[in-house]
Amino acid sequence: MRRALRKKSTAISSDTDCPEVDTRVPSADVTLDNSKTLSYTGGAGASQASLHDPGAKKEAEAWVQFKYEIVRLAHTLKLTGWRRVPLERGTEIEVERLSGALTNAVYVVSPPKNLPHTSPSTQGDATPLPPKKPPVKLLLRIYGPQAEHLIDRDKELQILRRLARQNIGPKMLGTFTNGRFEEFFNARTLTAQDIRRPETSKQIAKRMRELHEGIELLEEERKAGPFMWQNWDKWKGRCEEVISWIDESMMARQEGPAGIGVDAWEKHGLVCGVEWSVFRNTVEKYRRWLESHFGGPQGVKDKLVFAHNDTEWCYNYHNTSKPYALNQHNYPTPEEQHRFIKAYVQHSTRRPSLSTQSSTASLSPALSQSISNFMLDSRAPPAQIAEEEKQRESAIETEVQRLLHEARMWRPANSVFWIAWGIIQAKVPSMNDSIATTARQPKSDPLSMKMQQMGKDGKGLGPEEASGGEGDENGEAGEDEFDYLGYARERARFFWGDMLRLGMVREDELPVDLRGRVKIVNH
């Protein structure tokens, strides 16, 4: 762990009615190295397990060092209760890596199980001081090696501050150079099956409504336009560098002697399904079409757009073989979409919005008026009440259909965002130094020594090997690696399905090998 002893603080709240969240979060100039502790096992408390295997012994030593540095950092940040854990007992803490996190490495940190519950008195044989609560569990988030290309940390802290005002999300306990500690929620990650359950789906919709109504957009955020397009504009240059290199390498190997290069090409194809320039031009064509529908770029900024990401239903990130795969057949049915959005529309938040101009998609005037009339005249005759209820249901249905339409129109933009995200997250160490991200590779980069050495030797890697993704004969990622290029490739095929659906391209304009791989959802 590299550290500089300068300490600073970051405010996470201001001018709020909740004094308990108006705290200052400690921060330290420290880099926590987790490059040798990326497995999902090995972080249990100290044990007497046999370590005759050299590999197991080396991994165990890495976990011991990692735990020590976690406790030392917890002391530096003065995390509540954690100074009671002596550095020499750092090996006794439990550190469990959570699955399902794609941008960062996330761990649950638990204190030793047998810490003393009382403190000795400083007055000789006097009664010991009252028992102390054990240190709380922590959520440790270590940013991914490519996160510097993805996330503006200053803006992220601003968003966390605004969420804290509404008591949304975990509290931030301390930050360091390449990560942070957060409050740990005793919960479990929803599975692909969980989110399909009707009641769970409706609860997610209601929570989304509360988030939209409770967090106001800042004026500069409105002026900047949709966040997904901001990121596309920021990321597309880097994406072009990565994809151009990978696609050129693939095509060069295809034209070379028969062998693994040809097999890789036949099996996986170009990451975006077409050459980068074709993909980029199609994205810009779609963007112009979308903006024209809303009256131009300014019209999009003036009108708040509802764009729920139903595509998440198509993934199972806990799948042991292909967690990156998109199964379009799992896309929510029209009935499931309707149920979700109706729950969103009908949910009434108890907490008033912090601004008169809420960040939620504004309900139509007809719906608002219908609800007001119904609520104000509860003493009306039964026939009138029935008619007003009918009008209210009609207004709700009109609003649901409007939001369904908007979500489908913006679905390709959502795909563009995640395609770019996957490309930037991918690790391509053998790219030319002029465009490689590894000119100053962060210590937390989980590249294997073999991959690094191959790059240094000038031997290079195939595009699939370079991605840490689909390089083996089974098309599976390496152990504990998420195949970001595979994810981007799958999402690109879904994007092309939407381009066909919207008439942005014709099928005969797509490469022959892509036509049979396009993922189409017509609802």
Side-chain angles (χ1 to χ4, degrees):
M1 179 171 66
R2 188 183 75 249
R3 63 182 299 172
L5 296 180
R6 180 173 65 86
K7 292 289 296 299
K8 58 184 178 180
S9 294
T10 303
I12 66 163
S13 185
S14 63
D15 62 335
T16 174
D17 295 330
C18 304
E20 67 274 13
V21 300
D22 191 10
T23 59
R24 299 189 69 81
V25 175
S27 181
D29 289 335
V30 170
T31 297
L32 194 56
D33 182 5
N34 70 323
S35 60
K36 299 178 182 178
T37 52
L38 287 169
S39 68
Y40 292 95
T41 59
S47 68
Q48 301 301 318
S50 174
L51 295 177
H52 296 302
D53 176 42
K57 182 177 181 181
K58 188 174 182 179
E59 182 182 8
E61 291 173 351
W63 277 100
V64 166
Q65 182 64 26
F66 185 50
K67 291 179 179 182
Y68 174 82
E69 301 295 357
I70 289 173
V71 174
R72 186 164 68 150
L73 181 53
H75 286 193
T76 300
L77 295 172
K78 298 181 179 179
L79 301 184
T80 302
W82 275 83
R83 291 187 68 85
R84 294 181 54 214
V85 181
L87 288 175
E88 58 270 18
R89 296 191 62 181
T91 58
E92 299 177 39
I93 70 171
E94 294 186 1
V95 182
E96 175 190 3
R97 186 180 177 191
L98 301 181
S99 63
L102 304 183
T103 305
N104 307 308
V106 180
Y107 303 85
V108 178
V109 181
S110 304
K113 295 180 179 179
N114 58 345
L115 282 177
H117 292 284
T118 59
S119 299
S121 171
T122 58
Q123 301 178 1
D125 57 353
T127 303
L129 297 177
K132 291 186 177 182
K133 294 182 179 179
V136 297
K137 286 186 178 181
L138 305 171
L139 190 80
L140 170 62
R141 186 182 303 276
I142 299 181
Y143 306 143
Q146 312 300 331
E148 63 185 88
H149 298 287
L150 290 168
I151 300 172
D152 184 326
R153 293 300 172 190
D154 290 336
K155 287 186 177 180
E156 183 182 45
L157 292 177
Q158 293 174 13
I159 292 172
L160 290 172
R161 178 173 65 246
R162 290 154 65 189
L163 292 174
R165 292 175 183 160
Q166 296 295 319
N167 288 325
I168 296 175
K171 295 179 182 178
M172 189 161 53
L173 306 178
T175 68
F176 50 97
T177 302
N178 66 324
R180 62 178 181 259
F181 288 99
E182 300 172 8
E183 177 185 13
F184 172 72
F185 287 160
N186 188 19
R188 69 176 179 85
T189 304
L190 293 178
T191 66
Q193 292 73 33
D194 289 334
I195 64 175
R196 305 191 75 90
R197 295 191 177 101
E199 288 307 312
T200 303
S201 175
K202 288 192 287 187
Q203 287 300 318
I204 294 172
K206 292 175 181 179
R207 190 59 171 159
M208 180 183 292
R209 178 68 182 274
E210 293 171 6
L211 177 64
H212 287 175
E213 287 202 339
I215 306 299
E216 80 282 14
L217 285 177
L218 304 177
E219 185 61 29
E220 57 266 30
E221 290 173 329
R222 288 181 175 276
K223 289 181 179 179
F227 191 64
M228 61 182 66
W229 291 132
Q230 291 181 53
N231 281 327
W232 166 253
D233 291 336
K234 182 171 64 175
W235 297 346
K236 62 184 178 182
R238 172 63 187 168
C239 288
E240 181 167 0
E241 293 174 346
V242 175
I243 290 302
S244 296
W245 186 89
I246 291 174
D247 288 351
E248 288 173 7
S249 297
M250 264 190 180
M251 297 176 75
R253 294 181 69 178
Q254 179 196 17
E255 296 170 358
I260 186 171
V262 175
D263 292 340
W265 162 257
E266 292 175 350
K267 186 174 183 180
H268 303 300
L270 297 169
V271 173
C272 293
V274 296
E275 293 183 18
W276 171 256
S277 60
V278 177
F279 175 76
R280 182 193 60 211
N281 291 339
T282 305
V283 169
E284 296 302 334
K285 177 182 178 182
Y286 159 72
R287 182 177 182 176
R288 290 191 299 270
W289 172 85
L290 189 63
E291 290 175 342
S292 67
H293 181 86
F294 290 97
Q298 189 57 46
V300 174
K301 296 175 184 179
D302 293 339
K303 185 181 185 303
L304 293 164
V305 177
F306 179 87
H308 174 56
N309 185 13
D310 289 321
T311 317
E312 284 301 304
W313 287 46
C314 300
Y315 291 99
N316 181 5
Y317 299 121
H318 296 90
N319 184 289
T320 56
S321 60
K322 293 185 178 181
Y324 60 86
L326 185 155
N327 183 352
Q328 72 272 27
H329 302 297
N330 286 337
Y331 195 86
T333 65
E335 293 76 18
E336 289 169 327
Q337 295 176 51
H338 188 279
R339 180 178 62 226
F340 182 95
I341 295 184
K342 187 174 182 180
Y344 175 91
V345 170
Q346 288 184 308
H347 185 55
S348 177
T349 58
R350 297 179 180 180
R351 210 169 37 222
S353 174
L354 293 178
S355 95
T356 57
Q357 192 175 29
S358 168
S359 62
T360 185
S362 301
L363 296 180
S364 64
L367 175 58
S368 300
Q369 186 63 36
S370 174
I371 295 174
S372 299
N373 291 342
F374 182 78
M375 296 300 293
L376 288 174
D377 197 1
S378 60
R379 295 173 295 176
Q384 181 179 340
I385 293 176
E387 179 61 25
E388 290 178 350
E389 176 64 16
K390 182 179 179 180
Q391 293 177 3
R392 177 177 179 273
E393 288 298 325
S394 177
I396 288 175
E397 181 60 24
T398 299
E399 184 68 8
V400 168
Q401 292 301 323
R402 181 179 73 85
L403 295 179
L404 278 169
H405 176 67
E406 284 193 1
R408 289 165 187 164
M409 289 183 65
W410 281 84
R411 190 167 71 191
N414 187 281
S415 291
V416 170
F417 175 95
W418 288 109
I419 292 166
W421 174 87
I423 293 170
I424 291 180
Q425 283 285 92
K427 297 174 289 295
V428 192
S430 55
M431 286 170 53
N432 294 333
D433 290 341
S434 60
I435 60 174
T437 62
T438 52
R440 49 181 182 82
Q441 195 66 255
K443 288 188 177 181
S444 60
D445 185 17
L447 296 175
S448 69
M449 293 303 295
K450 176 183 176 182
M451 294 174 71
Q452 293 181 19
Q453 189 60 47
M454 289 179 73
K456 291 177 182 178
D457 293 344
K459 298 177 181 178
L461 298 173
E464 300 297 350
E465 294 167 299
S467 72
E470 299 170 332
D472 65 20
E473 61 183 5
N474 297 319
E476 298 178 1
E479 183 181 2
D480 297 332
E481 286 282 348
F482 184 79
D483 185 356
Y484 293 103
L485 286 183
Y487 176 91
R489 183 180 290 109
E490 291 275 300
R491 198 57 181 263
R493 293 169 182 171
F494 189 77
F495 169 82
W496 288 114
D498 275 337
M499 291 298 95
L500 290 171
R501 176 179 62 88
L502 294 173
M504 294 286 105
V505 297
R506 300 190 312 271
E507 185 174 1
D508 60 7
E509 293 178 308
L510 298 179
V512 175
D513 67 301
L514 176 60
R515 297 175 197 173
R517 298 175 177 178
V518 167
K519 299 175 182 288
I520 300 178
V521 173
N522 288 316
H523 55 269

